[in-house]
Structures are given as C-alpha cells and as structure tokens.
Amino acid sequence: MAGTEQGIILGLVLACVVTHVAAPPPAGPSPYSRALEEALRTELFTTNGYQVLQRPAERVVVQVSLSLLTINDLDIRDQTLSLTGFFTFYWEDDRLNWSSDSTYDNIRFLFSTEAYVWRPPLLIENSVEDVSIISDKNIPMRFNNKGLVTWNPAGIYKVACEADTRYYPMDIQSCNVTVTAWAYTEKEIRLIFKDDPFDLTFYSTNGEWQLVSTETILPEAIARGGQSFSGLDFQIKLRRRPMFHILNTLFPVALMAILSVMVFKLPADSGEKVGFSLTILLAYTVYLTLISENIPSTSITICYLSLYLALTLSLGSLSVLCTILVLNIYFRSDEDEPMPRWLKNLTLKVLMRVVCYKDKCCCVPFNDVRIHPANESPSPEPQSVTLPEVEQPDLAKNNTRKRNKKQEEIPLESTSASSTSSLLTLVETNDNSNITWRELSITLDRLFFLLFMSVIIFATALLFYLILGEWINVASSIPDE
C-alpha cells in the first residue's frame, strides 16, 4: 500500500517536469527590423482603415509653440514684420496608438507626412504674403506608440504689424503673429499654448532691431461667418538700435536747426545773409524729403520728428523774411527817410533794453541814469554854490550887505537838481535823435537771434525728451545680449 502511494507521487512529479519542459517559452517583443515596422504601418494605416480626412476625436486639443530663429526685417513704412522660425504642434490621435500590442514594443515612434496622417488646418491670420493653410509635405510628422503627434513646419513668415511712429527713430514696436484654426470651429479644434510657448534657444540677433520681450496672448474666440474659431497670438516687442539714427538723423537735423539761426550773426555789409539762409533752407528741405521716405504715410499716429522738422522748416522760412526786413532797414537813409518818433521810443525803451545794446539792459531801471563831467567823479554829498561878495556904492546897500553877512553862502541844491533834470531831458532827447536805421537793424538782428535760438533750443530739448524717455525706460529692463 505504501509502495503504491509512492509510485503515484513520483508519477505526478515526473508529469509536472515533462509538462514544464515541453511548454513553449512566453511570447516577447520582436527585435526591430524593417519588416516589423512595415507590418506595423500596414496594421495602422491599412488594416485599421485609417482616414486622413477624419479628425481623431470630436474635439481635438492642439498645443502650439513658436521657435524664433531671427528677425529678418521690420518695415515701418509698409508696416510689415518678416521673421524666420518654426511652429511646433502637438495633438493626440488614438488611431496611431500601438502601446497595447507588445509585439511592437521595440518600435517607439514612427514618421509620416501629412499625406497619410491627419493634421489640423491652421493658418497665420495676419499674414500679408501667403494667406493659406500651414502645409509642407516634405516635413515629417513624428508620433509615438501612444498616438502623440508632433509636427514642426518651418518657414519665413511675413505678417502685418501696425507701427507706432510717434517716437521714430527711437521707436519701440509690438507685433503679433496670430494662429487660428480654419474650417473647424472652436468646438471641434481648440488651440492652447504649450508650457514653454516661445523658444529662443537658436535666436540670432538683428543688426537694426533688438528683441525686448516675447509674450503670449489668448484672445477671445475669432468670429467668422457667424462661427467661432480658436486662435492664439504670439507677441514680439522690438526696439530700434539707436546709434545709426543718432548719427545720421537726429544730429544733422539739430545741427541744421542751429545753423539756420546763425544768419542773424552775419553782418549786413557782408552781402551773404540771404544766400546763407536760403542755402540752409534748401538743405533742410532736401533732408526732410529723405526722412519722409522712411516714415509711413499714415495719420493714425503723428511722428514727433516730423513735427520738429515742420517747425524748424517754418522757422527757416521765417528767418528769410526777417533777414530781408533787417537788410531793408539797414540800407535806409537817415536823411531821406527820418525814423518816426514812436519807432525811436520803441527802440530805445524796449528793443535795446531786451537785447542789452549800448549799455541799455532790461535788468537796469530805465530812470536810473547818472551824468557826470568827463573829468570828475560823482560825489555822494550834495554840493553848495558860494556867491562872491559884490561891493555896493551906497550906504543902504552896504547896510543890507552887513545884515545878510551871515547868509553869504547860499546852498543851491534845488537849483542843481533842476539843472540836472533839464540836462537829463536834453541828453535823452539827443539819444533819441541819434538812433539810426543801422542801429535799429543791428538791434533787430540781436532780437531775432535770441527769439529763434530760444525756440530752437526748447523744441530740440522737448524732442529728445519725448523720444528718449520711453526708449531709456525700456532699455533699463532689457538683459544684456
């Protein structure tokens, strides 16, 4: 009985060993080969009946990012921005998922093109050259075993950019690249930003424009034909590099503005006053024509530099008229055309005092005039006049002289003051009569020089304050390149 039980146990052990040895090993992933990848493609695109025109789900979420390579040009006259870069689009397509089949575990990703794989129809809405669906059959799409598709279409994109010309040539511009879905509404395709939507790893600097900052804006749904479509805005903020325009625009303009005032420092006898002023005016007109070629012909924003040029051009034209007036007065004859009394008074009491001509200055009171003999210095105390004694022939007069003996010295302060006042009046009258046309023209030259130079300096300082203020504020927030 015991031997029978031992035989049964031994038979069971042998049966288990034979079964374990004879059983085939468990199936594992096949090694990668071209045949294996071809079999996977056949299964995904043919066996499963993949349709390129059919979207993967009822609502597809597409993640978008932009890799900026360089800024080619920002033309503020045409108001366009040209840049080079590539977009990166991510979306899931569960029809391309093979993670559940362990046979293809060694194939982690595949490549295909838009001819075989569905892609979202997207376009750059504010493009000015090629308004069409972003498409390139030569750029492959990469998708992994979970069906996550990655597509990187690259190109040169030229978009519309509304330029703010107020601070030209020290301007700061903000331009947007707007990506929107086409045909599919917001309920069918939703665009969102990737975690890092702007990639500047491979960015190359531009010689004229400096990249200030990048920003992403998620606008409200874009309405077209009564339907709402999803869209994204990539904002690029650029600042113009200043050195070229300081040397070639601002410095010559300010220098010519100052030169236009120097015409009033030329003597009238030189015969070059009108020629000099016309030459400066002509040079200014030519330079204004050159600058206007770079400024957009728009009335939305007014360029401060254009206002400054218009002001200085007006002052240049006015200086020509003032120069002609000065020359006309300078060559008048005092004998043939006497100066009117009102003009003499105006010149003496106002014009000469404003320009400090002939020791007359506005800081000295007009009645503070002192006249002394040429060989004497003024005395701080009033002087007295002593009358000499005069002999009288009769006794009565002699007695009268004796009674007034104590009053022999009689002060004549009042008489002296009256004589000085009369003398002042006489001298002033002589001064008025001595003012000539030439002195009036010299006075006007000085007056026009002060007026024009004050306006030019104030306008120039205001121009630099306006155009440099915002530029310096932005410069302080830009990291060194």
Side-chain angles (χ1 to χ4, degrees), residues 263-264 273-274 277-278 317-331 445 448:
V263 65
F264 299 112
K273 291 176 72 72
V274 176
S277 58
L278 289 177
S317 303
L318 187 60
S319 67
V320 175
L321 299 178
C322 293
T323 302
I324 295 175
L325 175 63
V326 169
L327 293 177
N328 181 274
I329 293 176
Y330 183 83
F331 289 104
D445 257 341
F448 291 148

PDB file of all heavy atoms in Angstrom, residues 263-264 273-274 277-278 317-331 445 448:
ATOM      1  N   VAL A 263      22.246 133.030 -39.200  1.00  0.00           N
ATOM      2  CA  VAL A 263      22.164 134.068 -40.220  1.00  0.00           C
ATOM      3  C   VAL A 263      22.068 135.449 -39.585  1.00  0.00           C
ATOM      4  O   VAL A 263      22.521 136.451 -40.175  1.00  0.00           O
ATOM      5  CB  VAL A 263      20.952 133.803 -41.144  1.00  0.00           C
ATOM      6  CG1 VAL A 263      19.650 133.923 -40.379  1.00  0.00           C
ATOM      7  CG2 VAL A 263      20.959 134.753 -42.333  1.00  0.00           C
ATOM      8  N   PHE A 264      21.535 135.537 -38.388  1.00  0.00           N
ATOM      9  CA  PHE A 264      21.398 136.835 -37.721  1.00  0.00           C
ATOM     10  C   PHE A 264      22.704 137.302 -37.099  1.00  0.00           C
ATOM     11  O   PHE A 264      22.764 138.424 -36.589  1.00  0.00           O
ATOM     12  CB  PHE A 264      20.313 136.751 -36.646  1.00  0.00           C
ATOM     13  CG  PHE A 264      18.959 136.409 -37.189  1.00  0.00           C
ATOM     14  CD1 PHE A 264      18.371 135.189 -36.895  1.00  0.00           C
ATOM     15  CD2 PHE A 264      18.281 137.288 -38.015  1.00  0.00           C
ATOM     16  CE1 PHE A 264      17.126 134.867 -37.401  1.00  0.00           C
ATOM     17  CE2 PHE A 264      17.035 136.972 -38.524  1.00  0.00           C
ATOM     18  CZ  PHE A 264      16.452 135.754 -38.219  1.00  0.00           C
ATOM     19  N   LYS A 273      23.855 137.279 -46.150  1.00  0.00           N
ATOM     20  CA  LYS A 273      22.793 136.890 -45.229  1.00  0.00           C
ATOM     21  C   LYS A 273      21.680 136.124 -45.934  1.00  0.00           C
ATOM     22  O   LYS A 273      21.276 135.040 -45.512  1.00  0.00           O
ATOM     23  CB  LYS A 273      22.220 138.132 -44.530  1.00  0.00           C
ATOM     24  CG  LYS A 273      23.191 138.782 -43.566  1.00  0.00           C
ATOM     25  CD  LYS A 273      22.625 140.046 -42.962  1.00  0.00           C
ATOM     26  CE  LYS A 273      21.528 139.756 -41.949  1.00  0.00           C
ATOM     27  NZ  LYS A 273      22.039 139.177 -40.711  1.00  0.00           N
ATOM     28  N   VAL A 274      21.161 136.656 -47.033  1.00  0.00           N
ATOM     29  CA  VAL A 274      20.064 136.000 -47.746  1.00  0.00           C
ATOM     30  C   VAL A 274      20.539 134.692 -48.371  1.00  0.00           C
ATOM     31  O   VAL A 274      19.848 133.666 -48.317  1.00  0.00           O
ATOM     32  CB  VAL A 274      19.474 136.936 -48.800  1.00  0.00           C
ATOM     33  CG1 VAL A 274      18.401 136.218 -49.614  1.00  0.00           C
ATOM     34  CG2 VAL A 274      18.896 138.181 -48.152  1.00  0.00           C
ATOM     35  N   SER A 277      20.874 131.981 -45.582  1.00  0.00           N
ATOM     36  CA  SER A 277      19.588 131.490 -45.085  1.00  0.00           C
ATOM     37  C   SER A 277      18.883 130.628 -46.126  1.00  0.00           C
ATOM     38  O   SER A 277      18.282 129.604 -45.791  1.00  0.00           O
ATOM     39  CB  SER A 277      18.705 132.670 -44.691  1.00  0.00           C
ATOM     40  OG  SER A 277      18.499 133.531 -45.789  1.00  0.00           O
ATOM     41  N   LEU A 278      18.975 130.985 -47.400  1.00  0.00           N
ATOM     42  CA  LEU A 278      18.345 130.171 -48.444  1.00  0.00           C
ATOM     43  C   LEU A 278      19.053 128.831 -48.608  1.00  0.00           C
ATOM     44  O   LEU A 278      18.408 127.802 -48.874  1.00  0.00           O
ATOM     45  CB  LEU A 278      18.339 130.928 -49.766  1.00  0.00           C
ATOM     46  CG  LEU A 278      17.379 132.120 -49.853  1.00  0.00           C
ATOM     47  CD1 LEU A 278      17.529 132.824 -51.197  1.00  0.00           C
ATOM     48  CD2 LEU A 278      15.935 131.669 -49.661  1.00  0.00           C
ATOM     49  N   SER A 317      11.999 129.388 -42.976  1.00  0.00           N
ATOM     50  CA  SER A 317      11.313 130.278 -43.919  1.00  0.00           C
ATOM     51  C   SER A 317      11.092 131.656 -43.301  1.00  0.00           C
ATOM     52  O   SER A 317      11.262 132.689 -43.971  1.00  0.00           O
ATOM     53  CB  SER A 317       9.969 129.660 -44.329  1.00  0.00           C
ATOM     54  OG  SER A 317      10.150 128.380 -44.886  1.00  0.00           O
ATOM     55  N   LEU A 318      10.737 131.678 -42.028  1.00  0.00           N
ATOM     56  CA  LEU A 318      10.526 132.963 -41.358  1.00  0.00           C
ATOM     57  C   LEU A 318      11.829 133.736 -41.202  1.00  0.00           C
ATOM     58  O   LEU A 318      11.838 134.981 -41.274  1.00  0.00           O
ATOM     59  CB  LEU A 318       9.883 132.713 -39.998  1.00  0.00           C
ATOM     60  CG  LEU A 318       9.430 133.946 -39.208  1.00  0.00           C
ATOM     61  CD1 LEU A 318       8.393 134.735 -40.008  1.00  0.00           C
ATOM     62  CD2 LEU A 318       8.863 133.533 -37.857  1.00  0.00           C
ATOM     63  N   SER A 319      12.939 133.023 -41.014  1.00  0.00           N
ATOM     64  CA  SER A 319      14.229 133.708 -40.893  1.00  0.00           C
ATOM     65  C   SER A 319      14.624 134.402 -42.191  1.00  0.00           C
ATOM     66  O   SER A 319      15.290 135.447 -42.156  1.00  0.00           O
ATOM     67  CB  SER A 319      15.316 132.714 -40.482  1.00  0.00           C
ATOM     68  OG  SER A 319      15.562 131.771 -41.514  1.00  0.00           O
ATOM     69  N   VAL A 320      14.228 133.853 -43.325  1.00  0.00           N
ATOM     70  CA  VAL A 320      14.495 134.516 -44.609  1.00  0.00           C
ATOM     71  C   VAL A 320      13.748 135.846 -44.669  1.00  0.00           C
ATOM     72  O   VAL A 320      14.308 136.886 -45.063  1.00  0.00           O
ATOM     73  CB  VAL A 320      14.103 133.598 -45.776  1.00  0.00           C
ATOM     74  CG1 VAL A 320      14.270 134.320 -47.109  1.00  0.00           C
ATOM     75  CG2 VAL A 320      14.938 132.331 -45.763  1.00  0.00           C
ATOM     76  N   LEU A 321      12.491 135.837 -44.256  1.00  0.00           N
ATOM     77  CA  LEU A 321      11.706 137.078 -44.266  1.00  0.00           C
ATOM     78  C   LEU A 321      12.290 138.094 -43.278  1.00  0.00           C
ATOM     79  O   LEU A 321      12.363 139.301 -43.590  1.00  0.00           O
ATOM     80  CB  LEU A 321      10.248 136.769 -43.914  1.00  0.00           C
ATOM     81  CG  LEU A 321       9.511 135.812 -44.866  1.00  0.00           C
ATOM     82  CD1 LEU A 321       8.092 135.575 -44.367  1.00  0.00           C
ATOM     83  CD2 LEU A 321       9.492 136.364 -46.284  1.00  0.00           C
ATOM     84  N   CYS A 322      12.706 137.634 -42.103  1.00  0.00           N
ATOM     85  CA  CYS A 322      13.293 138.546 -41.130  1.00  0.00           C
ATOM     86  C   CYS A 322      14.616 139.112 -41.639  1.00  0.00           C
ATOM     87  O   CYS A 322      14.931 140.294 -41.387  1.00  0.00           O
ATOM     88  CB  CYS A 322      13.510 137.817 -39.805  1.00  0.00           C
ATOM     89  SG  CYS A 322      11.978 137.333 -38.976  1.00  0.00           S
ATOM     90  N   THR A 323      15.405 138.296 -42.325  1.00  0.00           N
ATOM     91  CA  THR A 323      16.664 138.785 -42.886  1.00  0.00           C
ATOM     92  C   THR A 323      16.418 139.863 -43.926  1.00  0.00           C
ATOM     93  O   THR A 323      17.125 140.884 -43.976  1.00  0.00           O
ATOM     94  CB  THR A 323      17.437 137.609 -43.503  1.00  0.00           C
ATOM     95  OG1 THR A 323      17.669 136.628 -42.501  1.00  0.00           O
ATOM     96  CG2 THR A 323      18.767 138.075 -44.067  1.00  0.00           C
ATOM     97  N   ILE A 324      15.424 139.673 -44.765  1.00  0.00           N
ATOM     98  CA  ILE A 324      15.081 140.696 -45.761  1.00  0.00           C
ATOM     99  C   ILE A 324      14.643 141.984 -45.071  1.00  0.00           C
ATOM    100  O   ILE A 324      15.008 143.094 -45.502  1.00  0.00           O
ATOM    101  CB  ILE A 324      13.986 140.155 -46.690  1.00  0.00           C
ATOM    102  CG1 ILE A 324      14.519 138.973 -47.515  1.00  0.00           C
ATOM    103  CG2 ILE A 324      13.484 141.252 -47.629  1.00  0.00           C
ATOM    104  CD1 ILE A 324      13.466 138.300 -48.363  1.00  0.00           C
ATOM    105  N   LEU A 325      13.869 141.864 -43.993  1.00  0.00           N
ATOM    106  CA  LEU A 325      13.442 143.053 -43.252  1.00  0.00           C
ATOM    107  C   LEU A 325      14.643 143.784 -42.653  1.00  0.00           C
ATOM    108  O   LEU A 325      14.729 145.020 -42.722  1.00  0.00           O
ATOM    109  CB  LEU A 325      12.465 142.635 -42.148  1.00  0.00           C
ATOM    110  CG  LEU A 325      12.020 143.750 -41.193  1.00  0.00           C
ATOM    111  CD1 LEU A 325      11.249 144.824 -41.954  1.00  0.00           C
ATOM    112  CD2 LEU A 325      11.166 143.172 -40.060  1.00  0.00           C
ATOM    113  N   VAL A 326      15.596 143.048 -42.068  1.00  0.00           N
ATOM    114  CA  VAL A 326      16.776 143.666 -41.477  1.00  0.00           C
ATOM    115  C   VAL A 326      17.603 144.388 -42.534  1.00  0.00           C
ATOM    116  O   VAL A 326      18.074 145.524 -42.319  1.00  0.00           O
ATOM    117  CB  VAL A 326      17.612 142.593 -40.747  1.00  0.00           C
ATOM    118  CG1 VAL A 326      18.976 143.144 -40.346  1.00  0.00           C
ATOM    119  CG2 VAL A 326      16.876 142.095 -39.517  1.00  0.00           C
ATOM    120  N   LEU A 327      17.789 143.773 -43.680  1.00  0.00           N
ATOM    121  CA  LEU A 327      18.555 144.406 -44.759  1.00  0.00           C
ATOM    122  C   LEU A 327      17.842 145.647 -45.288  1.00  0.00           C
ATOM    123  O   LEU A 327      18.488 146.651 -45.625  1.00  0.00           O
ATOM    124  CB  LEU A 327      18.802 143.401 -45.882  1.00  0.00           C
ATOM    125  CG  LEU A 327      19.723 142.227 -45.547  1.00  0.00           C
ATOM    126  CD1 LEU A 327      19.816 141.270 -46.733  1.00  0.00           C
ATOM    127  CD2 LEU A 327      21.115 142.726 -45.161  1.00  0.00           C
ATOM    128  N   ASN A 328      16.528 145.585 -45.367  1.00  0.00           N
ATOM    129  CA  ASN A 328      15.773 146.738 -45.836  1.00  0.00           C
ATOM    130  C   ASN A 328      15.946 147.927 -44.899  1.00  0.00           C
ATOM    131  O   ASN A 328      16.086 149.082 -45.344  1.00  0.00           O
ATOM    132  CB  ASN A 328      14.300 146.359 -45.974  1.00  0.00           C
ATOM    133  CG  ASN A 328      13.443 147.493 -46.482  1.00  0.00           C
ATOM    134  OD1 ASN A 328      12.981 148.312 -45.696  1.00  0.00           O
ATOM    135  ND2 ASN A 328      13.227 147.548 -47.791  1.00  0.00           N
ATOM    136  N   ILE A 329      15.941 147.655 -43.594  1.00  0.00           N
ATOM    137  CA  ILE A 329      16.121 148.737 -42.618  1.00  0.00           C
ATOM    138  C   ILE A 329      17.568 149.222 -42.604  1.00  0.00           C
ATOM    139  O   ILE A 329      17.837 150.423 -42.481  1.00  0.00           O
ATOM    140  CB  ILE A 329      15.688 148.241 -41.227  1.00  0.00           C
ATOM    141  CG1 ILE A 329      14.178 147.976 -41.203  1.00  0.00           C
ATOM    142  CG2 ILE A 329      16.060 149.242 -40.152  1.00  0.00           C
ATOM    143  CD1 ILE A 329      13.680 147.400 -39.907  1.00  0.00           C
ATOM    144  N   TYR A 330      18.500 148.297 -42.759  1.00  0.00           N
ATOM    145  CA  TYR A 330      19.917 148.659 -42.660  1.00  0.00           C
ATOM    146  C   TYR A 330      20.327 149.649 -43.748  1.00  0.00           C
ATOM    147  O   TYR A 330      21.121 150.567 -43.497  1.00  0.00           O
ATOM    148  CB  TYR A 330      20.765 147.387 -42.749  1.00  0.00           C
ATOM    149  CG  TYR A 330      22.245 147.628 -42.576  1.00  0.00           C
ATOM    150  CD1 TYR A 330      22.799 147.729 -41.308  1.00  0.00           C
ATOM    151  CD2 TYR A 330      23.087 147.766 -43.675  1.00  0.00           C
ATOM    152  CE1 TYR A 330      24.162 147.954 -41.127  1.00  0.00           C
ATOM    153  CE2 TYR A 330      24.453 147.996 -43.514  1.00  0.00           C
ATOM    154  CZ  TYR A 330      24.983 148.085 -42.238  1.00  0.00           C
ATOM    155  OH  TYR A 330      26.325 148.323 -42.083  1.00  0.00           O
ATOM    156  N   PHE A 331      19.823 149.474 -44.943  1.00  0.00           N
ATOM    157  CA  PHE A 331      20.261 150.315 -46.062  1.00  0.00           C
ATOM    158  C   PHE A 331      19.339 151.512 -46.301  1.00  0.00           C
ATOM    159  O   PHE A 331      19.390 152.127 -47.365  1.00  0.00           O
ATOM    160  CB  PHE A 331      20.338 149.466 -47.337  1.00  0.00           C
ATOM    161  CG  PHE A 331      21.483 148.496 -47.319  1.00  0.00           C
ATOM    162  CD1 PHE A 331      21.267 147.147 -47.087  1.00  0.00           C
ATOM    163  CD2 PHE A 331      22.788 148.936 -47.513  1.00  0.00           C
ATOM    164  CE1 PHE A 331      22.321 146.247 -47.067  1.00  0.00           C
ATOM    165  CE2 PHE A 331      23.848 148.037 -47.498  1.00  0.00           C
ATOM    166  CZ  PHE A 331      23.617 146.699 -47.274  1.00  0.00           C
ATOM    167  N   ASP A 445      18.548 142.333 -35.447  1.00  0.00           N
ATOM    168  CA  ASP A 445      19.340 141.109 -35.633  1.00  0.00           C
ATOM    169  C   ASP A 445      19.534 140.387 -34.304  1.00  0.00           C
ATOM    170  O   ASP A 445      19.376 139.173 -34.204  1.00  0.00           O
ATOM    171  CB  ASP A 445      20.697 141.457 -36.251  1.00  0.00           C
ATOM    172  CG  ASP A 445      20.749 141.112 -37.735  1.00  0.00           C
ATOM    173  OD1 ASP A 445      19.911 140.304 -38.180  1.00  0.00           O
ATOM    174  OD2 ASP A 445      21.616 141.638 -38.452  1.00  0.00           O
ATOM    175  N   PHE A 448      16.066 138.946 -33.112  1.00  0.00           N
ATOM    176  CA  PHE A 448      15.671 137.739 -33.845  1.00  0.00           C
ATOM    177  C   PHE A 448      16.549 136.557 -33.462  1.00  0.00           C
ATOM    178  O   PHE A 448      16.071 135.421 -33.367  1.00  0.00           O
ATOM    179  CB  PHE A 448      15.744 137.990 -35.350  1.00  0.00           C
ATOM    180  CG  PHE A 448      14.691 138.941 -35.849  1.00  0.00           C
ATOM    181  CD1 PHE A 448      14.947 139.780 -36.927  1.00  0.00           C
ATOM    182  CD2 PHE A 448      13.453 139.008 -35.244  1.00  0.00           C
ATOM    183  CE1 PHE A 448      13.979 140.652 -37.393  1.00  0.00           C
ATOM    184  CE2 PHE A 448      12.481 139.876 -35.697  1.00  0.00           C
ATOM    185  CZ  PHE A 448      12.738 140.700 -36.775  1.00  0.00           C
TER     186      PHE A 448
END
